[in-house]
Amino acid sequence: TSSDKPKTAVVVGSTSGIGQGIAHRLAEQGWNVVAVGRHREGRAAAVVKTLEEYTDAIAKGKEEGNVVKPQHSFVPCDCFSLKSVQEAAKSILEKHDTIDALVLTQGMATTQGFTPTVDGNDEKLTLHYFSRMAFACLLLPALSKSEMAKGPVILSILSGGVHSPYKNFETDFSLKENYSVSNAANAAGFYNDLGLDALARSNPNMNFMHAAPGFVNTNWGTEFNPILRAMVRCMQPLGRSPADCAEFMAGPTIFASANGDDLAPKYEDVGIICFGGTAGKAEPSTVSKGHTPEARDFVWKQTIEILKKAGLDVSE
């Protein structure tokens, strides 16, 4: 039956931190994992080997029977380049006509100013927002074929419910004039809420979610200057481990939908599900005060324009 067939998840940012934790947890649960990350010599084989070890660990406890063994793969992508995202998406769609979950965790922690990518957009905003919306738009055809009990899950892990609105979105959408670390963080969070909400409205059978993971003990902050890096490192033993965080992020979202359980609730009349939480429980959280239909339409229109300008084949 189709329920015996492994489900498929694409995990972007899967080579470290939260993304890696989620990829491992999915493999352990018998999912096909398409791990997406930056190209490094020997990385593809190493990533697939580790995912297979997680799958084998759980398979040993089950009857051999006619269980279909999950197939794992690694797809290289430079998420700073939207063209590279399109190439990665194309290569994923060539091998997978159905995708059940898309997990977006690509990111960076820096104190740099506005730093343009090949497309002329800010590096941080590209990782935290534009590349994420590009993957979501480009993989929609395969996500729409999912037969998960409560529908496919598109999960962006950044700052759901904890960011403030970015007030200059109409006059300085791309942050070229008002760049600061806090504006970059708020814009990315605010745009994730609005962009995912726009997608949720045009794809009502899918679950678009924006989560805040809390402080996780990962390599986060490797791009900081040395003094800040030392401070982050000192704080990290207090953070939740990537494995705990993976359970915390995937449990009420991907695994809930696969099992037919209720997902975290939506907030009022917004199409997106936001959640963060404390003490290992997923708490539904709210979108920011600036989250209006006008802001959503404006931000989505700008987003599609930027993706199209980079040569991506996306529609509104």
Side-chain angles (χ1 to χ4, degrees):
T1 65
S2 64
S3 61
D4 295 336
K5 214 172 81 180
K7 293 181 175 57
T8 300
V10 175
V11 183
V12 186
S14 61
T15 53
S16 64
I18 301 165
Q20 187 179 55
I22 291 176
H24 291 171
R25 189 80 183 90
L26 287 159
E28 197 177 62
Q29 290 298 309
W31 283 57
N32 299 321
V33 176
V34 181
V36 180
R38 279 188 246 189
H39 171 73
R40 295 279 181 279
E41 199 62 48
R43 176 172 271 175
V47 166
V48 170
K49 183 172 180 284
T50 305
L51 290 168
E52 282 170 352
E53 283 163 7
Y54 275 90
T55 299
D56 291 346
I58 203 95
K60 284 195 175 72
K62 291 186 177 172
E63 292 296 314
E64 282 306 306
N66 51 4
V67 177
V68 182
K69 192 168 188 263
Q71 300 294 311
H72 305 306
S73 57
F74 178 78
V75 174
C77 182
D78 168 14
C79 289
F80 284 128
S81 156
L82 295 173
K83 266 281 171 56
S84 177
V85 169
Q86 177 154 278
E87 282 160 21
K90 191 167 167 248
S91 114
I92 292 166
L93 292 172
E94 278 165 6
K95 296 188 179 66
H96 302 276
D97 62 348
T98 305
I99 296 168
D100 301 288
L102 169 62
V103 183
L104 302 157
T105 71
Q106 64 267 42
M108 67 193 296
T110 67
T111 51
Q112 68 190 27
F114 185 98
T115 309
T117 63
V118 287
D119 303 306
N121 306 306
D122 177 59
E123 281 191 353
K124 201 183 273 189
L125 203 51
T126 296
L127 287 190
H128 293 164
Y129 179 64
F130 296 126
S131 67
R132 296 182 184 213
M133 296 308 110
F135 269 114
C137 289
L138 295 167
L139 296 179
L140 278 178
L143 285 157
S144 69
K145 292 184 187 150
S146 169
E147 292 176 5
M148 279 226 293
K150 293 278 173 129
V153 170
I154 296 88
L155 172 61
S156 183
I157 300 175
L158 188 65
S159 60
V162 300
H163 60 85
S164 301
Y166 168 60
K167 294 186 175 60
N168 300 317
F169 70 93
E170 286 173 301
T171 52
D172 186 24
F173 179 76
S174 301
L175 294 168
K176 286 184 172 135
E177 312 299 323
N178 296 278
Y179 198 92
S180 70
V181 171
S182 74
N183 277 349
N186 286 330
F190 189 50
Y191 294 173
N192 264 274
D193 276 359
L194 295 163
L196 292 167
D197 193 8
L199 284 167
R201 279 163 196 274
S202 44
N203 300 278
N205 301 325
M206 301 188 188
N207 303 290
F208 291 88
M209 314 181 98
H210 180 199
F215 195 81
V216 184
N217 187 359
T218 70
N219 286 333
W220 189 81
T222 47
E223 295 98 345
F224 276 145
N225 70 44
I227 293 166
L228 272 175
R229 192 160 60 222
M231 277 166 60
V232 169
R233 286 278 171 265
C234 292
M235 287 157 67
Q236 274 188 333
L238 309 171
R240 191 185 281 127
S241 77
D244 286 350
C245 189
E247 186 57 49
F248 173 70
M249 292 284 118
T253 58
I254 299 167
F255 297 138
S257 180
N259 296 332
D261 300 334
D262 286 339
L263 282 75
K266 288 181 184 172
Y267 176 68
E268 289 177 4
D269 63 342
V270 174
I272 178 186
I273 297 170
C274 286
F275 74 100
T278 47
K281 282 204 290 291
E283 304 286 346
S285 53
T286 62
V287 292
S288 63
K289 282 195 180 71
H291 192 110
T292 63
E294 296 75 24
R296 182 183 66 235
D297 294 347
F298 181 90
V299 163
W300 193 240
K301 189 165 178 282
Q302 297 292 318
T303 303
I304 291 292
E305 271 176 29
I306 280 174
L307 299 184
K308 283 184 169 168
K309 194 175 156 198
L312 271 60
D313 183 14
V314 291
S315 63
E316 287 182 61

